[in-house]
Amino acid sequence: MPVILNQDDVPAEVFSDGVRRQRLIDSNRIKNSVCLFDRLTVEPGGGLAFCIPRSGVAWGQVLQGKVTFGKKGQDSHSLSASSVAFFPPGFEGSMHSSSGAVLIILSIPDAVRLDPLISQGMCDVCCIDLNAEPVLESEHDDRTRIYVATRKLFGTTALSGELVTFPSGVTSSNHHHKGAEHFQYILQGKGIVYLDEQPTRIREGDLIYKYDLERHYCENDGDKEMAFVEFFVPGEFETVWVNPEQRCAWSPTGRNARGEAPTRNIATHTSDGTVYDDV
């Protein structure tokens, strides 16, 4: 059965000095999950030290505010809203926020089991400005997509992810996946998710986790845009469409979220879990 919960229903625990953590996914909440998915609230002046296991990786996105992080004794990276960071195996560093921030963090402690080559050629954190990345559009409706985690971006197939927007009135195609954990975190808006054709209301702060073979699709029946970030672990999997003629294909718009030329190009492709070299 799918698991749906809202962040407001998950108690926050003190994680570090000035940092509170809400753990939305772990193996206790989600049976057999290899993921940890956290929402962190950093108070002004708060911070923490962290260490990624030598077999693991982590991905993070700033939702509100700004954070600064880096290795000890090295220049720091600064991330604001709509920025993401990827932390490679064995990375040790610290993070703090002078004005406060909210982040989401996906950790895969044993990522090397999903991608045995993950530790080759990665030695430092990688930061991406999502507003500079290519915006893709669905060939069937008005949805858009920006990739937040791919092999091209971070050099691993242990995970993949994208930021998807649903304008008002849009409904996606019914489908299911094979071979990966799949979950979505609603960033804004509200709508309906259909799980094995059964409707359930969703809203900002919801986490929707689907197991293999569970059919699903979403509808924005509200008057405002709905957006979510979704992940697949591992990043290689199979997608099966209830109606193959409605399989989703994504085409480049030639712009980024700012309406400017993107930092790179992505060709048209289908949403079937294939790892495309230019994605």
Side-chain angles (χ1 to χ4, degrees):
M1 293 288 293
V3 176
I4 301 179
L5 58 92
N6 189 273
Q7 64 193 30
D8 293 343
D9 299 324
V10 178
E13 59 181 343
V14 176
F15 187 51
S16 183
D17 184 23
V19 180
R20 290 174 290 123
R21 179 181 72 182
Q22 293 167 283
R23 175 142 289 175
L24 305 182
I25 293 180
D26 60 18
S27 59
N28 293 321
R29 190 181 300 277
I30 307 293
K31 183 179 179 180
N32 298 323
S33 177
V34 301
C35 303
L36 302 174
F37 190 74
D38 298 323
R39 182 177 184 268
L40 301 182
T41 301
V42 186
E43 298 175 358
L48 57 87
F50 59 95
C51 178
I52 307 302
R54 293 192 177 276
S55 61
V57 297
W59 173 100
Q61 179 176 347
V62 179
L63 303 182
Q64 301 174 28
K66 180 182 292 185
V67 299
T68 302
F69 66 90
K71 291 182 178 180
K72 293 182 180 179
Q74 295 188 8
D75 291 339
S76 296
H77 302 272
S78 182
L79 292 182
S80 55
S82 298
S83 299
V84 303
F86 179 80
F87 303 93
F91 181 87
E92 296 185 28
S94 60
M95 177 182 69
H96 72 275
S97 176
S98 59
S99 58
V102 177
L103 306 87
I104 49 175
I105 306 288
L106 167 60
S107 304
I108 310 172
D110 194 18
V112 70
R113 182 172 63 84
L114 305 175
D115 180 5
L117 302 179
I118 197 170
S119 61
Q120 298 183 9
M122 294 193 301
C123 60
D124 201 0
V125 67
C126 179
C127 302
I128 300 293
D129 178 4
L130 295 183
N131 286 329
E133 285 292 293
V135 175
L136 306 172
E137 59 186 358
S138 169
E139 292 189 344
H140 294 291
D141 49 59
D142 293 329
R143 286 176 298 155
T144 61
R145 165 182 288 190
I146 298 175
Y147 284 103
V148 302
T150 68
R151 182 177 65 180
K152 179 71 171 181
L153 289 174
F154 302 134
T156 179
T157 58
L159 76 163
S160 65
E162 55 257 358
L163 171 64
V164 181
T165 61
F166 272 66
S168 178
V170 168
T171 302
S172 58
S173 300
N174 198 359
H175 62 287
H176 69 265
H177 306 291
K178 294 181 180 180
E181 295 190 53
H182 176 219
F183 59 93
Q184 299 160 317
Y185 176 78
I186 308 299
L187 298 172
Q188 66 180 48
K190 58 185 179 180
I192 303 173
V193 63
Y194 293 86
L195 301 164
D196 288 334
E197 290 76 50
Q198 299 302 308
T200 299
R201 303 294 313 185
I202 53 176
R203 61 185 174 94
E204 182 176 330
D206 274 352
L207 180 108
I208 306 121
Y209 184 101
K210 287 90 98 177
Y211 289 96
D212 265 15
L213 309 182
E214 290 179 332
R215 296 183 303 279
H216 56 273
Y217 63 99
C218 291
E219 175 187 1
N220 181 354
D221 64 342
D223 56 3
K224 297 182 180 180
E225 184 177 81
M226 178 174 67
F228 56 77
V229 62
E230 67 176 343
F231 297 95
F232 299 89
V233 179
E236 292 182 302
F237 54 92
E238 180 183 357
T239 298
V240 179
W241 304 92
V242 171
N243 182 353
E245 294 183 356
Q246 294 181 349
R247 64 187 306 203
C248 188
W250 298 89
S251 297
T253 63
R255 57 178 173 80
N256 60 26
R258 301 187 181 100
E260 304 167 347
T263 55
R264 61 196 182 96
N265 296 316
I266 297 178
T268 298
H269 57 280
T270 56
S271 203
D272 59 4
T274 303
V275 179
Y276 294 90
D277 288 338
D278 69 338
V279 170

